[in-house]
Amino acid sequence: MLDKSKQKSSTSEDSASEMKYIVGIGASAGGLEALQQLLEVLPSNTGVPYIIVQHLSPDYKSLLAEILSKYTDMPVVQAENDMPIKPDCVYLIPPKNNMQLKNGKLVLTEQVEGAFSHPIDIFFRSLAADAKQRAIAIVLSGTGSDGTNGIKTIKEHDGLIIVQRSDSAKFDGMPKSALRTGLVDAELSPAEIAQELQHITMKAQFGNLSTQDEHKIDEDLMKRVYFILKKISNINFTYYKQTTILRRIERRMVMTHKDSLHDYVQYLFDTPEEVRILSKEVLIGVTNFFRDPEYFETLKKTAITNIVKSSKEGEMIRAWVAGCSTGEEAYSVAILFSEVMEETKIKRDIKIFATDLDVESIATAGKGIYGESIIENVSTYRLSRFFVRKDNSYVINRDVRKMIVFSPHNVFQDPPFGRLDLICCRNMLIYFQPILQRDLFAIFHTSLKDNGYLFLGKSEAIGEYSDVFNVIDANAKLFVHRTDGKAPRAKSLPFLQPSILAEEEFNDITYNEDTESKNSAKSGKDEFEIINNQLLESFMPACVVLNSKNEIIHTYGENSNYLHFAIGKASLNLFDVLTEDLKIAVSTILKETRKDMQRIGYKDVHVKGELSEQMINLSALPIGTKRGEAEGLIALIFSEQSDRGVLPNAEPYHIDRVSSQRITDLEQELKDAQEQLRSSVSEQETVNEELQAANEELLTANEELQSSNEELQSVNEELYTVNAEYQQRLIELADMNDDIANFLATTLVGIMFVDNHLNIRRFTNYLSSEFGVMEHDVGRSLKF
């Protein structure tokens, strides 16, 4: 008996594994209409099971199976626990349950009463784990963000994602939330989704690129793919795992309706936008807050706590999150640092460098705005402590945001970060060939401090570098760095060129007659500027033009005796390059010029420059400004002769008097600034106390409102679904009532309907003519 049971289970699992695709459909408010439109067009012989997860009210019996069965020839059944799935069948989630797919069977678990759940996310995650690249997730009409986290897992396992087009959805909350992830493969109306599913299932009959022997793949075609990707995205994908690249190509071939790799490569040549899509697909921007939460807890207790406690006061703690995608992981690390500093009462300056190849993902990360779906991964305490609710989104706290510097960065081409205490590189190594993995470990070796920490993804390993990275927690993939180990970097990797290049296909530079004339005019203009500058250099004294920030924007004449540029990082600030002897005089004259907005001059200013020691005249005048305007340019003129570049009534320059006056002015300014600062600090402290009290009240109120809002939203969706089902039944009842009325009006049989008390309810026209029963007799009793 036991053997038969095992055999039956094995058969169902084999049946599920043989299916080319398994389709999961998530819907909520307004989903009934979308499901009807989808099933009405969808053929009943695609060889694919369809599993529908809709938000249902726990208080009412669902009529969904009866309603949808009228729109398809496929069997429509409400799922039962451990029910094996079969092709060309439609399965519905029952009320009060969450549903998962495990080993080709539908597993039901009762929802916790009063708890807010995301049944679509729960099912999509199980679908991804069970079906992997055979999973197709469809998000239809609904409010909220259920399904958004689930499609991230689907994408991570190379599944397909389709959402209902917003203009065809009664409620576009769920489709738009899914679209914001940037992971959606297609946005279609329900009827178009049915047609696309038919195409996808037909395409599956011709086999998969990724399952073929790599030696059977046309090597030159793959080289052309790498060449096109590098040309458009400037990323060399040559040494990424080929099976990963092929899976992404295979999915794009399905969505672009290309029948062969050759056709798709030609399509790439013709369509730069498709190259960008494929490049983004290969990069796989999938992440979540506190992904694998138990591992992040280990990171906090073991690594981050130790880093903070062992750091010195005034020393910056530096971390690098490589491949940060849309920023969730970087913010998670920043939150952990914030919590540890709060718990240990140790305040440190934290700088987290978060990098990724995808510029769009970096832009999203920099905004720090995330949808409601993050409530599945972030605790209520952390939501209230580190996020601000804004409409239907959560915005990261400013204190956390200030810890992070987001930047586009190619780990293999751009310079690495140095003196790091922590590197987080999770789920990036798995996409590289061993030669790139070795390079990456060599980079980490040079970037990390001794006893710095390396945090990898759960599917990644350090391999041959166990002497460089010692294991702290093998399960959490947390390692400590040893600088005395060796991790040599590979030599520069060659880029594999295809045998036939179509370089001209990428050169969109156009040439016309206007180009030559423009270049000619530009050349003439440049020639005039050269002559003009030569004349100024010959007859004008040394002069610099400054903006309001004392930055040099132009120079004239020979000024090398007054200005000198230091070796190293260049600076255009006047006081960084000005000869030391002139700094007091120049500072004073600029202040007076800006104050009076008129020309000021000094004569007999002593200067010991790099070329010679001499007495000069100094003057400053506003350029192109009117009296009273704060912003404007200042010309500062250094003149060797008294009759050039200085006012006739210029004051003699006495360094003792000017220095004394300058010191007095600065002391007064400092005193005023200190008084203003004390006043501001006092006011700020009072305001901060009030704001802190108000903030605590708002946090409490926000938590209560958030909880109430989630409950109301869930109830509203359930009631809308129930209402839609009952409206459908009312329409059917109205049609049946009309049919009965028409039948009674036309039949030649005498029929009378009475209730339990023999009161007349209804009768046919034939009975009326034969027995004299009239309309006003309805309701009268037959008892005499």
Side-chain angles (χ1 to χ4, degrees), residues 195-210:
Q195 294 168 358
E196 190 64 31
L197 286 173
Q198 185 178 8
H199 164 75
I200 291 169
T201 52
M202 287 178 62
K203 191 81 174 176
Q205 300 171 10
F206 301 105
N208 301 326
L209 282 174
S210 54

Side-chain angles (χ1 to χ4, degrees), residues 199-246:
H199 164 75
I200 291 169
T201 52
M202 287 178 62
K203 191 81 174 176
Q205 300 171 10
F206 301 105
N208 301 326
L209 282 174
S210 54
T211 57
Q212 294 181 23
D213 190 328
E214 288 190 18
H215 299 293
K216 293 182 181 179
I217 301 294
D218 191 320
E219 186 178 340
D220 195 60
L221 277 178
M222 289 306 297
K223 289 180 181 179
R224 287 168 71 85
V225 171
Y226 298 138
F227 171 75
I228 301 167
L229 287 172
K230 192 172 192 303
K231 189 74 178 178
I232 298 296
S233 66
N234 198 31
I235 301 172
N236 183 4
F237 289 105
T238 308
Y239 297 97
Y240 280 55
K241 286 184 179 176
Q242 184 164 302
T243 51
T244 300
I245 304 287
L246 287 171

Side-chain angles (χ1 to χ4, degrees), residues 257-293:
H257 296 200
K258 300 302 172 188
D259 295 327
S260 67
L261 181 59
H262 181 274
D263 291 344
Y264 182 70
V265 172
Q266 187 58 49
Y267 182 66
L268 285 176
F269 267 93
D270 298 335
T271 319
E273 182 58 31
E274 177 62 24
V275 181
R276 295 186 184 93
I277 294 173
L278 178 60
S279 175
K280 194 173 178 67
E281 287 275 312
V282 174
L283 293 176
I284 315 170
V286 177
T287 185
N288 280 320
F289 282 96
F290 303 101
R291 191 178 189 187
D292 306 315

Side-chain angles (χ1 to χ4, degrees), residues 505-523:
E505 296 186 43
F506 295 97
N507 297 329
D508 296 326
I509 301 173
T510 57
Y511 182 85
N512 55 43
E513 295 178 0
D514 292 339
T515 307
E516 187 172 358
S517 61
K518 287 177 182 176
N519 290 338
S520 176
K522 185 177 185 295
S523 176

Side-chain angles (χ1 to χ4, degrees), residues 7 36 65 143 160 254 260 333 339 343 382 462-464 493 509 610 641 681 694 718:
Q7 185 178 3
Q36 290 171 346
T143 60
L160 282 167
V254 169
S260 67
V333 173
E339 288 178 346
E343 292 165 4
R382 282 173 173 161
I462 55 170
E464 59 193 270
L493 303 175
I509 301 173
E610 292 186 354
Q641 301 175 4
V681 167
E718 293 166 358

Side-chain angles (χ1 to χ4, degrees), residues 179-196:
L179 282 169
R180 279 193 291 269
T181 64
L183 304 175
V184 174
D185 293 295
E187 184 186 10
L188 306 167
S189 68
E192 291 168 339
I193 292 173
Q195 294 168 358
E196 190 64 31

Side-chain angles (χ1 to χ4, degrees), residues 466-483:
S466 56
D467 60 327
V468 181
F469 301 101
N470 297 160
V471 178
I472 292 180
D473 191 310
N475 189 45
K477 302 295 180 181
L478 187 61
F479 308 89
V480 66
H481 177 237
R482 296 284 178 257
T483 53

